[in-house]
Amino acid sequence: MNTLPAMLAIHGGAGTILRQSTSAGAEQAYLQALQDILRAGEALLAQGSSALDVVEACVRLLEEDERFNAGRGAVYTADGTHELDASIMEGHTRRAGAVAGLRTTRNPVRAARAVMESSGHVMLIGAAADAFAAAQGLEQVSPDWFGTPERLAQLRRVQGEGGAAVLDHDGARRQALIRQDGPLDERQKFGTVGAVALDAQGRLAAATSTGGMTNKKPGRVGDSPLLGAGCYADETVAVSCTGTGEAFMRSLAAHEVSAQMRHLGRGLREACEDVVGVHLPAVGGQGGMIAVSRQGELCLPFNTEGMYRGWVRLGEAPEARIFR
Ligand code: ASP
Protein backbone atom coordinates (compact mmCIF):
# COMPACT_ATOMS: atom_id res chain seq x y z
CA MET A 1 0.00 0.00 0.00
CA ASN A 2 1.35 3.35 -0.96
CA THR A 3 1.85 5.68 1.99
CA LEU A 4 2.12 8.78 -0.16
CA PRO A 5 -0.92 11.05 -0.40
CA ALA A 6 -2.98 10.79 -3.53
CA MET A 7 -2.79 13.80 -5.83
CA LEU A 8 -4.06 15.23 -9.06
CA ALA A 9 -3.16 17.95 -11.58
CA ILE A 10 -5.17 19.32 -14.52
CA HIS A 11 -4.57 21.74 -17.39
CA GLY A 12 -6.77 23.68 -19.77
CA GLY A 13 -4.15 24.78 -22.27
CA ALA A 14 -1.08 26.99 -22.43
CA GLY A 15 -0.56 30.25 -24.25
CA THR A 16 0.02 33.97 -24.23
CA ILE A 17 -1.46 36.37 -21.77
CA LEU A 18 -3.99 38.78 -23.21
CA ARG A 19 -3.20 41.64 -20.89
CA GLN A 20 -5.33 44.30 -22.50
CA SER A 21 -8.56 42.41 -22.13
CA THR A 22 -7.95 40.39 -19.01
CA SER A 23 -10.45 41.39 -16.43
CA ALA A 24 -10.12 40.24 -12.85
CA GLY A 25 -13.55 38.67 -13.27
CA ALA A 26 -12.54 36.57 -16.27
CA GLU A 27 -9.39 35.40 -14.53
CA GLN A 28 -11.35 34.48 -11.44
CA ALA A 29 -13.91 32.55 -13.49
CA TYR A 30 -11.19 30.39 -15.04
CA LEU A 31 -9.54 29.76 -11.69
CA GLN A 32 -12.90 28.87 -10.18
CA ALA A 33 -13.64 26.42 -13.00
CA LEU A 34 -10.28 24.72 -12.47
CA GLN A 35 -10.75 24.57 -8.69
CA ASP A 36 -14.26 23.13 -9.00
CA ILE A 37 -12.94 20.34 -11.22
CA LEU A 38 -10.04 19.70 -8.84
CA ARG A 39 -12.49 19.44 -5.94
CA ALA A 40 -14.55 16.90 -7.86
CA GLY A 41 -11.38 14.91 -8.59
CA GLU A 42 -10.22 15.15 -4.99
CA ALA A 43 -13.57 13.81 -3.79
CA LEU A 44 -13.09 10.79 -6.05
CA LEU A 45 -9.57 10.24 -4.75
CA ALA A 46 -10.89 10.51 -1.17
CA GLN A 47 -13.39 7.74 -1.78
CA GLY A 48 -10.66 5.50 -3.15
CA SER A 49 -11.25 5.88 -6.87
CA SER A 50 -8.44 4.79 -9.16
CA ALA A 51 -6.14 7.30 -10.82
CA LEU A 52 -7.66 6.13 -14.12
CA ASP A 53 -11.21 6.97 -13.02
CA VAL A 54 -10.08 10.33 -11.65
CA VAL A 55 -8.31 11.51 -14.81
CA GLU A 56 -11.24 10.40 -16.96
CA ALA A 57 -13.72 12.24 -14.72
CA CYS A 58 -11.67 15.45 -14.66
CA VAL A 59 -11.12 15.50 -18.42
CA ARG A 60 -14.81 14.85 -18.99
CA LEU A 61 -15.63 17.90 -16.86
CA LEU A 62 -13.13 19.98 -18.82
CA GLU A 63 -14.70 18.74 -22.08
CA GLU A 64 -18.09 19.89 -20.82
CA ASP A 65 -16.82 23.41 -20.11
CA GLU A 66 -17.03 25.32 -23.39
CA ARG A 67 -14.26 27.70 -22.38
CA PHE A 68 -11.78 24.95 -23.11
CA ASN A 69 -10.96 23.58 -26.57
CA ALA A 70 -12.14 20.02 -26.00
CA GLY A 71 -15.60 18.52 -26.26
CA ARG A 72 -18.13 21.37 -26.36
CA GLY A 73 -16.27 24.55 -27.31
CA ALA A 74 -13.85 22.70 -29.58
CA VAL A 75 -12.27 24.70 -32.41
CA TYR A 76 -13.37 24.28 -36.04
CA THR A 77 -11.57 22.61 -38.93
CA ALA A 78 -11.12 24.44 -42.26
CA ASP A 79 -14.37 22.80 -43.40
CA GLY A 80 -16.32 24.26 -40.50
CA THR A 81 -16.57 20.91 -38.74
CA HIS A 82 -15.15 19.51 -35.51
CA GLU A 83 -12.73 16.61 -35.20
CA LEU A 84 -11.95 15.63 -31.65
CA ASP A 85 -8.95 13.68 -30.36
CA ALA A 86 -8.40 12.10 -26.93
CA SER A 87 -6.32 9.52 -25.11
CA ILE A 88 -6.04 7.87 -21.72
CA MET A 89 -3.32 5.67 -20.20
CA GLU A 90 -2.85 3.76 -16.97
CA GLY A 91 0.71 3.56 -15.66
CA HIS A 92 1.15 0.26 -13.86
CA THR A 93 -0.64 -1.80 -16.53
CA ARG A 94 0.30 0.44 -19.47
CA ARG A 95 -3.17 -0.13 -20.79
CA ALA A 96 -4.17 2.71 -23.07
CA GLY A 97 -6.91 3.88 -25.41
CA ALA A 98 -7.11 6.70 -27.93
CA VAL A 99 -9.47 8.18 -30.49
CA ALA A 100 -8.97 10.68 -33.30
CA GLY A 101 -11.29 12.54 -35.60
CA LEU A 102 -14.47 11.99 -33.59
CA ARG A 103 -17.46 14.02 -34.76
CA THR A 104 -20.43 12.89 -32.72
CA THR A 105 -19.25 11.41 -29.43
CA ARG A 106 -20.02 13.91 -26.67
CA ASN A 107 -17.08 12.99 -24.43
CA PRO A 108 -14.04 11.82 -26.41
CA VAL A 109 -12.15 10.81 -23.26
CA ARG A 110 -14.89 8.30 -22.47
CA ALA A 111 -14.52 6.90 -25.98
CA ALA A 112 -10.75 6.57 -25.41
CA ARG A 113 -11.44 4.63 -22.21
CA ALA A 114 -13.91 2.40 -24.02
CA VAL A 115 -11.35 1.69 -26.73
CA MET A 116 -8.88 0.72 -24.01
CA GLU A 117 -11.28 -1.60 -22.23
CA SER A 118 -13.51 -3.04 -24.91
CA SER A 119 -12.06 -2.80 -28.41
CA GLY A 120 -9.06 -5.09 -28.27
CA HIS A 121 -7.10 -2.22 -29.81
CA VAL A 122 -5.39 0.96 -28.63
CA MET A 123 -6.62 3.52 -31.16
CA LEU A 124 -9.69 4.00 -33.33
CA ILE A 125 -10.30 6.88 -35.73
CA GLY A 126 -13.07 8.70 -37.55
CA ALA A 127 -16.61 7.55 -38.15
CA ALA A 128 -15.80 4.01 -37.07
CA ALA A 129 -14.59 5.32 -33.72
CA ASP A 130 -17.84 7.22 -33.24
CA ALA A 131 -19.79 4.11 -34.20
CA PHE A 132 -17.79 2.07 -31.71
CA ALA A 133 -18.45 4.63 -28.97
CA ALA A 134 -22.17 4.62 -29.79
CA ALA A 135 -22.23 0.83 -29.62
CA GLN A 136 -20.60 1.10 -26.20
CA GLY A 137 -23.52 3.22 -25.07
CA LEU A 138 -21.70 6.55 -25.08
CA GLU A 139 -23.84 9.60 -25.75
CA GLN A 140 -23.86 10.84 -29.34
CA VAL A 141 -24.65 14.43 -30.31
CA SER A 142 -25.19 16.33 -33.51
CA PRO A 143 -21.82 17.29 -35.08
CA ASP A 144 -22.64 20.97 -34.61
CA TRP A 145 -23.29 20.53 -30.87
CA PHE A 146 -19.58 21.09 -30.19
CA GLY A 147 -19.54 24.54 -31.76
CA THR A 148 -20.06 27.90 -30.14
CA PRO A 149 -20.58 31.30 -31.80
CA GLU A 150 -17.21 32.42 -30.47
CA ARG A 151 -15.39 29.47 -32.03
CA LEU A 152 -17.15 30.01 -35.36
CA ALA A 153 -16.14 33.68 -35.35
CA GLN A 154 -12.57 32.52 -34.64
CA LEU A 155 -12.64 30.29 -37.73
CA ARG A 156 -14.21 32.92 -39.99
CA ARG A 157 -11.66 35.53 -39.03
CA VAL A 158 -8.74 33.16 -39.54
CA GLN A 159 -10.12 32.22 -42.96
CA GLY A 160 -10.78 35.86 -43.78
CA GLU A 161 -7.10 36.52 -43.30
CA GLY A 162 -6.09 34.14 -46.04
CA GLY A 163 -7.32 30.76 -45.03
CA ALA A 164 -4.00 29.28 -43.95
CA ALA A 165 -4.11 26.57 -41.32
CA VAL A 166 -3.63 28.43 -38.09
CA LEU A 167 -2.71 27.13 -34.70
CA ASP A 168 -4.38 28.85 -31.80
CA HIS A 169 -1.01 30.34 -30.91
CA ASP A 170 -0.17 31.61 -34.35
CA GLY A 171 -2.13 34.81 -34.42
CA ALA A 172 -0.13 37.59 -32.83
CA ARG A 173 -1.03 39.94 -35.66
CA ARG A 174 -4.68 39.10 -35.65
CA GLN A 175 -6.13 41.59 -33.26
CA ALA A 176 -9.79 41.15 -32.43
CA LEU A 177 -9.70 37.74 -34.04
CA ILE A 178 -11.83 35.86 -31.59
CA ARG A 179 -13.46 36.23 -28.25
CA GLN A 180 -11.31 37.86 -25.68
CA ASP A 181 -13.02 36.83 -22.52
CA GLY A 182 -10.22 34.77 -21.05
CA PRO A 183 -6.91 35.65 -19.48
CA LEU A 184 -4.98 33.76 -22.15
CA ASP A 185 -5.25 35.16 -25.66
CA GLU A 186 -7.43 32.75 -27.62
CA ARG A 187 -5.34 33.59 -30.69
CA GLN A 188 -2.21 32.43 -28.92
CA LYS A 189 -3.49 29.67 -26.74
CA PHE A 190 -3.39 25.89 -26.96
CA GLY A 191 -6.69 24.90 -25.41
CA THR A 192 -6.22 21.19 -25.00
CA VAL A 193 -7.22 19.79 -21.63
CA GLY A 194 -5.63 17.09 -19.55
CA ALA A 195 -5.28 15.43 -16.18
CA VAL A 196 -2.70 13.31 -14.35
CA ALA A 197 -3.20 11.52 -11.05
CA LEU A 198 -1.52 9.34 -8.43
CA ASP A 199 -4.01 7.40 -6.33
CA ALA A 200 -3.81 6.01 -2.81
CA GLN A 201 -2.54 2.68 -4.16
CA GLY A 202 0.32 4.41 -5.94
CA ARG A 203 -1.19 3.95 -9.40
CA LEU A 204 -0.57 6.60 -12.04
CA ALA A 205 -2.77 7.66 -14.96
CA ALA A 206 -2.94 10.42 -17.58
CA ALA A 207 -5.60 11.65 -20.02
CA THR A 208 -5.65 14.35 -22.72
CA SER A 209 -8.47 15.68 -24.93
CA THR A 210 -8.62 18.37 -27.63
CA GLY A 211 -10.41 19.91 -30.57
CA GLY A 212 -6.99 20.45 -32.16
CA MET A 213 -6.29 23.72 -33.94
CA THR A 214 -8.50 26.28 -35.62
CA ASN A 215 -8.74 25.87 -39.40
CA LYS A 216 -6.77 22.62 -39.28
CA LYS A 217 -6.97 20.44 -42.35
CA PRO A 218 -9.70 17.84 -42.05
CA GLY A 219 -7.97 14.62 -41.09
CA ARG A 220 -5.13 16.32 -39.22
CA VAL A 221 -4.24 14.51 -36.01
CA GLY A 222 -2.15 16.21 -33.34
CA ASP A 223 -0.19 14.95 -30.37
CA SER A 224 -3.07 14.67 -27.92
CA PRO A 225 -4.24 11.17 -28.89
CA LEU A 226 -0.73 9.89 -29.57
CA LEU A 227 0.68 7.95 -26.63
CA GLY A 228 4.16 9.13 -25.75
CA ALA A 229 3.60 12.49 -27.47
CA GLY A 230 0.69 14.31 -25.79
CA CYS A 231 -0.13 11.70 -23.16
CA TYR A 232 1.80 8.97 -21.37
CA ALA A 233 1.82 7.00 -18.14
CA ASP A 234 4.00 4.18 -16.84
CA GLU A 235 5.24 3.02 -13.44
CA THR A 236 7.44 6.13 -13.11
CA VAL A 237 5.39 9.11 -14.20
CA ALA A 238 2.12 10.31 -15.77
CA VAL A 239 2.22 13.23 -18.24
CA SER A 240 -0.36 15.25 -20.21
CA CYS A 241 0.73 17.95 -22.69
CA THR A 242 -0.63 21.00 -24.46
CA GLY A 243 0.98 23.02 -27.23
CA THR A 244 2.07 22.92 -30.85
CA GLY A 245 1.11 19.32 -31.48
CA GLU A 246 3.49 18.65 -34.35
CA ALA A 247 6.50 19.59 -32.19
CA PHE A 248 5.29 17.41 -29.31
CA MET A 249 4.91 14.53 -31.76
CA ARG A 250 8.43 14.97 -33.12
CA SER A 251 9.83 15.17 -29.56
CA LEU A 252 7.76 12.35 -28.07
CA ALA A 253 7.49 14.90 -25.29
CA ALA A 254 5.47 12.98 -22.72
CA HIS A 255 7.54 9.80 -23.05
CA GLU A 256 10.78 11.78 -22.99
CA VAL A 257 10.06 12.78 -19.38
CA SER A 258 9.80 9.14 -18.37
CA ALA A 259 12.86 8.18 -20.42
CA GLN A 260 15.02 10.82 -18.76
CA MET A 261 13.87 9.75 -15.30
CA ARG A 262 14.44 6.05 -15.94
CA HIS A 263 17.58 6.16 -18.06
CA LEU A 264 19.32 9.28 -16.79
CA GLY A 265 18.14 9.05 -13.19
CA ARG A 266 16.75 12.56 -13.39
CA GLY A 267 14.15 13.85 -10.97
CA LEU A 268 10.72 14.85 -12.23
CA ARG A 269 11.44 18.57 -12.27
CA GLU A 270 14.76 18.22 -14.04
CA ALA A 271 13.26 15.95 -16.70
CA CYS A 272 10.18 18.12 -17.30
CA GLU A 273 12.20 21.30 -17.48
CA ASP A 274 14.61 19.76 -19.97
CA VAL A 275 11.77 18.64 -22.23
CA VAL A 276 9.82 21.90 -22.04
CA GLY A 277 12.84 24.20 -21.92
CA VAL A 278 15.26 22.45 -24.31
CA HIS A 279 13.78 19.58 -26.34
CA LEU A 280 10.58 21.30 -27.44
CA PRO A 281 12.08 24.71 -28.28
CA ALA A 282 14.71 22.91 -30.39
CA VAL A 283 11.92 21.98 -32.82
CA GLY A 284 9.90 25.15 -32.35
CA GLY A 285 7.61 23.64 -29.74
CA GLN A 286 5.54 25.95 -27.58
CA GLY A 287 3.34 24.85 -24.74
CA GLY A 288 3.56 22.98 -21.49
CA MET A 289 2.77 19.80 -19.60
CA ILE A 290 1.55 18.53 -16.25
CA ALA A 291 3.27 15.57 -14.63
CA VAL A 292 3.06 13.52 -11.44
CA SER A 293 5.66 10.95 -10.39
CA ARG A 294 5.29 7.68 -8.48
CA GLN A 295 7.16 9.43 -5.66
CA GLY A 296 4.37 11.98 -5.33
CA GLU A 297 6.09 14.96 -6.95
CA LEU A 298 4.17 17.32 -9.19
CA CYS A 299 5.57 19.49 -11.98
CA LEU A 300 3.60 21.83 -14.29
CA PRO A 301 6.13 23.58 -16.55
CA PHE A 302 5.40 25.66 -19.68
CA ASN A 303 7.43 27.78 -22.08
CA THR A 304 4.57 30.14 -22.92
CA GLU A 305 3.46 33.12 -20.88
CA GLY A 306 0.75 31.22 -19.12
CA MET A 307 -0.98 27.88 -18.73
CA TYR A 308 -4.37 27.18 -17.20
CA ARG A 309 -3.44 24.67 -14.53
CA GLY A 310 -4.24 23.41 -11.10
CA TRP A 311 -3.32 20.73 -8.61
CA VAL A 312 -4.48 19.26 -5.35
CA ARG A 313 -3.08 16.84 -2.81
CA LEU A 314 -5.67 14.76 -1.03
CA GLY A 315 -6.92 16.55 2.07
CA GLU A 316 -5.54 19.91 1.00
CA ALA A 317 -7.16 22.87 -0.75
CA PRO A 318 -6.88 22.94 -4.55
CA GLU A 319 -4.53 25.45 -6.14
CA ALA A 320 -5.12 26.97 -9.58
CA ARG A 321 -2.87 29.33 -11.56
CA ILE A 322 -2.74 30.91 -14.99
CA PHE A 323 0.42 32.97 -15.06
CA ARG A 324 3.90 32.32 -13.76
N1 ASP B 1 -1.65 19.93 -28.82
C1 ASP B 1 -2.93 20.19 -29.46
C2 ASP B 1 -2.88 19.79 -30.91
O1 ASP B 1 -1.87 20.01 -31.54
C3 ASP B 1 -3.30 21.63 -29.41
C4 ASP B 1 -3.41 22.19 -28.04
O2 ASP B 1 -2.64 21.82 -27.15
O3 ASP B 1 -4.30 23.03 -27.85
O4 ASP B 1 -3.87 19.31 -31.39
Side-chain angles (χ1 to χ4, degrees):
M1 185 77 178
N2 185 32
T3 53
L4 293 162
M7 61 192 63
L8 158 72
I10 61 174
H11 71 78
T16 300
I17 301 165
L18 189 63
R19 292 181 195 282
Q20 66 273 25
S21 64
T22 301
S23 69
E27 187 175 334
Q28 196 48 47
Y30 273 86
L31 293 173
Q32 189 66 51
L34 293 169
Q35 285 170 347
D36 288 347
I37 292 168
L38 287 167
R39 270 190 211 93
E42 186 180 18
L44 289 174
L45 284 173
Q47 67 193 42
S49 295
S50 68
L52 190 69
D53 285 342
V54 170
V55 296
E56 181 193 344
C58 288
V59 168
R60 189 178 56 76
L61 290 170
L62 286 157
E63 288 174 343
E64 291 289 306
D65 188 328
E66 66 180 54
R67 277 172 290 215
F68 302 109
N69 168 24
R72 185 161 168 84
V75 298
Y76 285 84
T77 69
D79 284 357
T81 57
H82 302 281
E83 294 182 355
L84 306 159
D85 303 336
S87 58
I88 191 164
M89 187 162 185
E90 183 177 60
H92 67 292
T93 59
R94 303 224 202 146
R95 292 190 304 160
V99 287
L102 295 187
R103 300 181 87 161
T104 59
T105 302
R106 175 168 177 153
N107 292 114
V109 71
R110 296 192 68 197
R113 173 95 182 247
V115 168
M116 176 181 112
E117 291 183 332
S118 308
S119 75
H121 300 293
V122 170
M123 188 176 212
L124 294 179
I125 62 167
D130 279 317
F132 170 79
Q136 292 295 310
L138 299 185
E139 184 177 348
Q140 301 295 299
V141 293
S142 157
D144 57 15
W145 179 85
F146 297 102
T148 63
E150 293 83 3
R151 291 296 188 199
L152 190 57
Q154 178 180 6
L155 174 70
R156 296 294 175 233
R157 288 200 176 100
V158 167
Q159 292 183 327
E161 291 208 343
V166 173
L167 286 163
D168 258 1
H169 75 289
D170 194 21
R173 293 156 285 117
R174 300 181 177 85
Q175 295 303 312
L177 192 60
I178 45 174
R179 66 177 180 179
Q180 299 188 354
D181 59 356
L184 294 186
D185 186 342
E186 289 288 331
R187 296 157 295 163
Q188 301 182 66
K189 175 172 99 53
F190 316 98
T192 292
V193 307
V196 295
L198 171 68
D199 67 25
Q201 274 76 53
R203 298 171 295 198
L204 293 162
T208 307
S209 181
T210 190
M213 65 186 195
T214 297
N215 205 30
K216 67 182 180 182
K217 282 197 198 320
R220 179 263 187 185
V221 176
D223 62 312
S224 305
L226 298 186
L227 303 166
C231 181
Y232 188 69
D234 59 17
E235 300 85 343
T236 302
V237 66
V239 184
S240 172
C241 303
T242 176
T244 43
E246 281 71 5
F248 283 70
M249 290 154 80
R250 291 161 59 206
S251 305
L252 274 182
H255 182 268
E256 180 66 21
V257 173
S258 170
Q260 291 198 8
M261 293 176 74
R262 290 180 293 113
H263 302 309
L264 298 180
R266 287 190 167 162
L268 180 73
R269 177 161 304 281
E270 204 186 349
C272 286
E273 287 179 353
D274 185 68
V275 173
V276 170
V278 180
H279 275 243
L280 284 166
V283 290
Q286 292 177 281
M289 57 174 52
I290 56 174
V292 59
S293 74
R294 176 68 174 75
Q295 274 67 44
E297 307 151 299
L298 287 167
C299 192
L300 299 86
F302 49 96
N303 61 28
T304 48
E305 287 179 63
M307 180 166 79
Y308 295 118
R309 64 199 189 279
W311 64 96
V312 65
R313 289 186 165 81
L314 186 56
E316 297 180 7
E319 302 273 354
R321 302 270 192 284
I322 300 170
F323 309 126
R324 283 188 188 283

Short mmCIF file of all heavy atoms in Angstrom, two decimals, residues 20 85 107 160 190 224 226 238 310 315:
data_model
loop_
_atom_site.label_atom_id
_atom_site.label_comp_id
_atom_site.label_asym_id
_atom_site.label_seq_id
_atom_site.Cartn_x
_atom_site.Cartn_y
_atom_site.Cartn_z
N GLN A 20 -4.44 43.16 -22.32
CA GLN A 20 -5.33 44.30 -22.50
C GLN A 20 -6.79 43.98 -22.24
O GLN A 20 -7.57 44.87 -21.96
CB GLN A 20 -5.18 44.90 -23.91
CG GLN A 20 -5.63 44.00 -25.05
CD GLN A 20 -4.54 43.07 -25.55
OE1 GLN A 20 -3.62 42.74 -24.81
NE2 GLN A 20 -4.64 42.64 -26.79
N ASP A 85 -9.96 14.71 -30.67
CA ASP A 85 -8.95 13.68 -30.36
C ASP A 85 -8.83 13.52 -28.84
O ASP A 85 -8.89 14.52 -28.11
CB ASP A 85 -7.57 14.11 -30.87
CG ASP A 85 -7.52 14.41 -32.36
OD1 ASP A 85 -8.36 13.90 -33.11
OD2 ASP A 85 -6.61 15.17 -32.76
N ASN A 107 -18.27 12.94 -25.28
CA ASN A 107 -17.08 12.99 -24.43
C ASN A 107 -15.99 12.08 -24.99
O ASN A 107 -15.94 10.88 -24.68
CB ASN A 107 -17.43 12.59 -23.00
CG ASN A 107 -18.30 13.63 -22.32
OD1 ASN A 107 -19.46 13.37 -22.00
ND2 ASN A 107 -17.76 14.83 -22.14
N GLY A 160 -10.73 34.56 -43.13
CA GLY A 160 -10.78 35.86 -43.78
C GLY A 160 -9.41 36.47 -43.97
O GLY A 160 -9.19 37.32 -44.83
N PHE A 190 -3.15 27.29 -26.64
CA PHE A 190 -3.39 25.89 -26.96
C PHE A 190 -4.41 25.41 -25.94
O PHE A 190 -4.11 25.35 -24.76
CB PHE A 190 -2.12 25.09 -26.87
CG PHE A 190 -0.96 25.79 -27.51
CD1 PHE A 190 -0.07 26.51 -26.75
CD2 PHE A 190 -0.79 25.75 -28.88
CE1 PHE A 190 0.98 27.17 -27.34
CE2 PHE A 190 0.26 26.41 -29.47
CZ PHE A 190 1.16 27.13 -28.70
N SER A 224 -2.25 15.01 -29.09
CA SER A 224 -3.07 14.67 -27.92
C SER A 224 -3.49 13.20 -27.85
O SER A 224 -3.47 12.61 -26.77
CB SER A 224 -4.30 15.57 -27.85
OG SER A 224 -3.90 16.92 -27.86
N LEU A 226 -1.88 10.76 -29.29
CA LEU A 226 -0.73 9.89 -29.57
C LEU A 226 0.03 9.61 -28.28
O LEU A 226 0.63 10.51 -27.68
CB LEU A 226 0.18 10.53 -30.61
CG LEU A 226 -0.48 10.75 -31.97
CD1 LEU A 226 0.54 11.27 -32.97
CD2 LEU A 226 -1.14 9.48 -32.50
N ALA A 238 3.27 10.09 -14.88
CA ALA A 238 2.12 10.31 -15.77
C ALA A 238 2.21 11.74 -16.28
O ALA A 238 2.46 12.66 -15.50
CB ALA A 238 0.81 10.08 -15.03
N GLY A 310 -3.90 23.50 -12.50
CA GLY A 310 -4.24 23.41 -11.10
C GLY A 310 -3.82 22.06 -10.55
O GLY A 310 -3.56 21.12 -11.31
N GLY A 315 -6.79 15.96 0.74
CA GLY A 315 -6.92 16.55 2.07
C GLY A 315 -6.51 18.00 2.13
O GLY A 315 -6.69 18.66 3.16
#
